Amino acid sequence: MNDSAAATEPAISRGVTMAHTVIRRMPFTLGFLGVVVILGIASGGLWRRLDERSWFPDIAYGWPPLTEGRWWTPLSGSFFGLTPFQYCCMVVIFAAGVGWAEWRLGTLRTALVCLSGQLIGILGAAVTVGLLAHTHLDWADRLSEVRDVGFTTATFSALAAVSATLRSPWRLRVRAVLSAHVALTFLFESTFADLMHLLAIAVWLPVGEKLFSRTEHGFWPRTRREVRMLAFIGLLVIATASVAVYFFPSNSLLGPTENERGSLWSTILTVVVITVVAEQLRKGRRWAWWGTLVYGLLHVVFTLVLLGVAIGTDYETTGAVTVGTGLLWAVEVALLYGGRGAFRVPVRRKITDGALSGTDPGKALRALLARYGGSTMSWMTTWPENKYWFAADGERCVAYQRHAGTIVVLTDPIGPAELLPATIAGFTDRCEAAGLIPCLFSTTEAVADIAGELGWRSVQIAEDTIVDLPQLEFKGKAWQDIRSAINRANKEGIEFRLVELADEPFALIAQVRAISEEWVGEKGLPEMGFTLGGVEEALDPAVRVGLAVDASGTVHGVTSWLPVYGPGDEIRGWTLDVMRRRPDGFRPVVEFLIASSCQAFKTEGAELVSLSGAPLARSASTDGAEPIDRLLEGLGAAMEPYYGFRSLHSFKAKFQPRHEPVYLCYRDEADLPRIGIALTKAYLPEVSAKDLMALGASG
């Protein structure tokens, strides 16, 4: 009995402490809900419809109360619910949404947001329908007679405002869900409350961004995954509209929807097709992007034509569903076009000619890598955005991307070393036949020398940092920082785990995604690609991932390691790709992760670890260098505040690496401007002209 009581006391103590914290942090939320519940009991609104009461017109808001001089109704109507079910729903939503906002924004700011948002919604909606009444718009005529109560608009305002305080990707997700809900309900239901919600978030999304955003700014997604997710959500919203119209027909702003519902089977087919295409958009498939963009454009144009016919003639040719979905498709098309760089994953077609005819190119490339080996960056050629050229003998492969009429070959060609000159020459002929400019990017010194013998020119663009594992020992003064990181991790209970990320639980993968996307969100420019992978690439079963996890299961940092193959299907080393840390986590976690990974790979018998080359960063001075070298030096300095390449290069020096130069090979200086544009598009597919101008100004 005593033991049971003793065990219960800590739980009670924690409960009391939590309750005290909630009361202290959320007085506005709790106080408002307390008043609502008391009024609900006193009025009987918790068990009976309020509009059945004789005094309902005295407390309800809308356009009629304003014309009747009941100026207090925007406040009085904000403490009631129309039905018992509405009461329950609003209380739950308010407690969750406004309580969360108050926890993050503080009591005073949350109260001001809720009060102003509620008044903006009520007064704005009332004045809007009042001005539009008697203008042959049936919707406005109907709503100009509506009297309503409720406080959901305050919740929507709070959610719109607090979204500015979130880090990526949650700020985008909250805003996307909020906007999608408001768009659907306003277009296809169009109640007085829907208009209130629309006006409130139209004000508080930009105002909240201006007042409360600290670490990130803007509304456009920063990563390829966020762009794809937003396009995915957009298609699901369109599918949801079809379902909502079929099961819940209404008389909306755009007209009645009942006669445009279609059949149940057509609705099911529409939802299935959209869901399949949406899933491919989420994966970044190019064909899905093209198909959706073309269909969306046709839908928008078709809607505009029908509207023109309807306006110019007496014949009724279109209705609410057509116009409403046309507006949704217009938004989806704008998103797809603006984020077109995120949808570059090609369809993995079979090789149609040569010795590898009928083979999947991705599998063929991996087989060649295992057979002949590659450079420390060679695994990046397997990433889905790349395309491939295979020689007729099936023993040689070149991975590349095409941008601005330029073919950017990624790292060394794969195949027998003695055939490298023939491989480069053959691929060059193929590019010239197509009128394209070829360049070799991130090649080793050996390939740069071969290209030089074929008349190419080269410039060093980075340095690969190599740690030789057989001789690695963390001894001596030079390794003091690394030893300190390992010792501190042991004291704080931080465990190192070397895993295949795809096999880990969903909750852990979600933590890794959150850490990565928060890191990207802090940058001044969008997520980089090409030779810089992310979580999607780390999910490849061939990639090893290092995790720093504490006793509670919290991930403090993550590194991913790409295999480096030697001849004969042997992994001779590993290359660092993803390197992220939790902002509020264990500070020297990256040093701990890299050191622990090196120790693990050494134990497994690996020869080397590459810490990768930081683009536009190197050890040697550019004094007396060629103009192209000085240009790259200046570009690296301009991008340093955004991506910290030079700081990263200096950080890697802690591991006492040796350096191997990495080159860009080109045929003619006249090609360099187009090569520069192509590389910019390869690394920053989402970059805008405004971003580039800001980058240039900073330089």
Side-chain angles (χ1 to χ4, degrees):
M1 186 68 176
N2 292 336
D3 292 341
S4 176
T8 305
E9 286 182 4
I12 296 175
S13 177
R14 287 194 298 269
V16 171
T17 302
M18 176 59 70
H20 181 266
T21 302
V22 169
I23 294 171
R24 180 173 53 84
R25 296 283 299 269
M26 298 163 53
F28 170 73
T29 304
L30 297 176
F32 181 86
L33 290 179
V35 173
V36 165
V37 171
I38 291 172
L39 290 176
I41 295 172
S43 65
L46 290 178
W47 54 83
R48 182 179 174 185
R49 289 184 64 93
L50 214 62
D51 55 0
E52 297 175 351
R53 301 303 180 94
S54 60
W55 43 266
F56 177 75
D58 295 326
I59 58 100
Y61 49 69
W63 177 244
L66 292 182
T67 60
E68 295 165 2
R70 294 186 172 95
W71 54 266
W72 61 86
T73 54
L75 290 177
S76 62
S78 298
F79 289 90
F80 294 91
L82 190 62
T83 67
F85 179 74
Q86 190 184 78
Y87 251 117
C88 295
C89 290
M90 287 195 300
V91 166
V92 172
I93 294 172
F94 189 92
V98 178
W100 176 49
E102 187 173 6
W103 193 280
R104 295 186 66 88
L105 293 176
T107 297
L108 179 60
R109 289 193 287 186
T110 302
L112 290 174
V113 169
C114 290
L115 178 61
S116 63
Q118 183 79 0
L119 291 178
I120 288 169
I122 293 172
L123 297 176
V127 172
T128 298
V129 298
L131 293 177
L132 293 177
H134 312 298
T135 59
H136 304 292
L137 187 61
D138 292 340
W139 168 78
D141 288 340
R142 290 197 314 274
L143 293 194
S144 66
E145 301 298 325
V146 166
R147 299 174 189 265
D148 200 4
V149 292
F151 45 90
T152 52
T153 305
T155 306
F156 277 81
S157 303
L159 290 173
V162 78
S163 67
T165 68
L166 303 178
R167 293 177 177 268
S168 293
W170 296 107
R171 60 192 276 122
L172 175 72
R173 293 175 182 177
V174 169
R175 289 170 170 178
V177 171
L178 195 62
S179 300
H181 171 80
V182 170
L184 279 175
T185 55
F186 181 69
L187 288 175
F188 299 106
E189 292 290 333
S190 308
T191 65
F192 190 82
D194 297 330
L195 179 58
M196 290 167 54
H197 299 160
L198 176 68
L199 295 174
I201 72 162
V203 171
W204 270 110
L205 275 178
V207 173
E209 176 72 14
K210 181 70 174 178
L211 296 179
F212 306 134
S213 183
R214 294 291 179 265
T215 58
E216 296 182 43
H217 301 279
F219 293 91
W220 188 253
R222 294 185 176 274
T223 69
R224 288 168 291 170
R225 184 169 179 269
E226 285 184 60
V227 174
R228 295 169 183 173
M229 185 61 69
L230 201 58
F232 171 79
I233 292 173
L235 277 191
L236 292 188
V237 168
I238 294 172
T240 303
S242 300
V243 176
V245 165
Y246 183 83
F247 288 103
F248 307 103
S250 66
N251 196 2
S252 70
L253 162 69
L254 303 171
T257 64
E258 186 169 5
N259 295 331
E260 296 183 82
R261 294 189 301 168
S263 67
L264 176 61
W265 288 111
S266 67
T267 301
I268 293 174
L269 181 61
T270 299
V271 171
V272 170
V273 171
I274 288 179
T275 303
V276 170
V277 176
E279 175 63 14
Q280 297 306 306
L281 277 181
R282 189 186 65 81
K283 296 178 179 179
R285 299 294 186 188
R286 193 69 173 174
W287 72 264
W289 180 85
W290 272 110
T292 307
L293 183 70
V294 171
Y295 181 83
L297 282 172
L298 290 175
H299 198 292
V300 172
V301 171
F302 180 68
T303 303
L304 291 175
V305 170
L306 289 180
L307 281 174
V309 172
I311 293 172
T313 68
D314 294 332
Y315 185 66
E316 238 180 80
T317 59
T318 188
V321 177
T322 304
V323 177
T325 53
L327 291 171
L328 294 178
W329 273 113
V331 174
E332 181 74 2
V333 166
L335 171 65
L336 290 172
Y337 182 77
R340 56 193 177 278
F343 305 95
R344 297 162 52 200
V345 179
V347 178
R348 292 303 186 196
R349 300 186 178 93
K350 302 295 184 183
I351 300 171
T352 57
D353 56 7
L356 296 174
S357 178
T359 307
D360 179 83
K363 292 181 180 178
L365 173 68
R366 295 189 182 213
L368 290 178
L369 270 176
R371 189 180 310 155
Y372 296 110
S375 70
T376 56
M377 297 178 64
S378 59
W379 191 257
M380 298 173 187
T381 61
T382 67
W383 292 350
E385 286 83 1
N386 297 313
K387 299 179 181 179
Y388 306 110
W389 173 82
F390 288 88
D393 59 10
E395 296 297 310
R396 293 168 287 157
C397 177
V398 174
Y400 66 92
Q401 291 189 17
R402 177 177 173 175
H403 302 280
T406 302
I407 297 296
V408 183
V409 176
L410 176 56
T411 193
D412 297 355
I414 309 300
E418 64 273 12
L419 295 180
L420 276 175
T423 303
I424 295 173
F427 185 72
T428 302
D429 291 341
R430 183 70 175 267
C431 293
E432 289 178 344
L436 302 171
I437 296 173
C439 70
L440 309 178
F441 184 75
S442 292
T443 64
T444 60
E445 189 168 15
V447 171
D449 290 342
I450 293 172
E453 295 172 0
L454 296 174
W456 293 56
R457 303 182 183 188
S458 62
V459 59
Q460 183 182 338
I461 55 170
E463 287 179 335
D464 196 1
T465 48
I466 306 293
V467 178
D468 294 308
L469 297 179
Q471 298 82 31
L472 180 65
E473 292 184 352
F474 300 137
K475 295 180 179 180
K477 185 176 180 180
W479 295 96
Q480 180 60 47
D481 288 346
I482 306 303
R483 291 197 303 271
S484 297
I486 295 174
N487 293 334
R488 181 175 169 184
N490 292 332
K491 290 180 181 178
E492 297 189 16
I494 306 293
E495 175 191 5
F496 170 74
R497 295 172 56 192
L498 191 61
V499 302
E500 291 181 12
L501 187 59
D503 293 336
E504 294 301 298
F506 173 81
L508 188 142
I509 297 176
Q511 286 193 66
V512 172
R513 288 192 190 279
I515 291 171
S516 180
E517 289 171 349
E518 285 180 16
W519 179 86
V520 171
E522 293 175 352
K523 302 300 175 185
L525 286 175
E527 178 187 31
M528 298 188 79
F530 197 34
T531 63
L532 300 171
V535 177
E536 298 305 317
E537 288 76 16
L539 287 167
D540 188 326
V543 175
R544 307 284 289 279
V545 172
L547 300 172
V549 186
D550 65 18
S552 66
T554 300
V555 178
H556 288 253
V558 55
T559 54
S560 71
W561 300 89
L562 313 177
V564 181
Y565 276 93
D569 198 13
E570 178 186 0
I571 296 179
R572 57 188 291 261
W574 299 87
T575 296
L576 178 63
D577 182 28
V578 172
M579 183 170 59
R580 306 281 193 266
R581 62 180 293 270
R582 183 179 293 277
D584 56 348
F586 175 61
R587 203 186 69 80
V589 67
V590 176
E591 291 95 328
F592 167 66
L593 281 170
I594 293 177
S596 300
S597 298
C598 287
Q599 289 176 324
F601 293 140
K602 178 181 178 180
T603 302
E604 294 175 359
E607 299 175 15
L608 58 87
V609 154
S610 167
L611 303 183
S612 299
L616 307 175
R618 51 183 172 176
S619 303
S621 170
T622 57
D623 294 340
E626 295 293 325
I628 182 63
D629 294 286
R630 292 197 295 272
L631 175 62
L632 292 172
E633 177 75 9
L635 183 58
M639 295 187 75
E640 176 63 21
Y642 295 94
Y643 292 108
F645 293 140
R646 296 180 176 185
S647 302
L648 179 61
H649 192 66
S650 300
F651 168 80
K652 292 174 180 178
K654 293 182 178 183
F655 295 89
Q656 315 304 312
R658 58 182 172 86
H659 296 95
E660 292 186 355
V662 178
Y663 293 91
L664 165 69
C665 300
Y666 57 96
R667 296 179 304 165
D668 189 336
E669 281 82 358
D671 295 339
L672 287 173
R674 291 183 70 177
I675 291 174
I677 294 172
L679 289 172
T680 300
K681 295 301 293 181
Y683 270 111
L684 293 166
E686 296 303 310
V687 74
S688 65
K690 180 181 177 182
D691 294 327
L692 290 176
M693 290 175 64
L695 177 62
S698 71

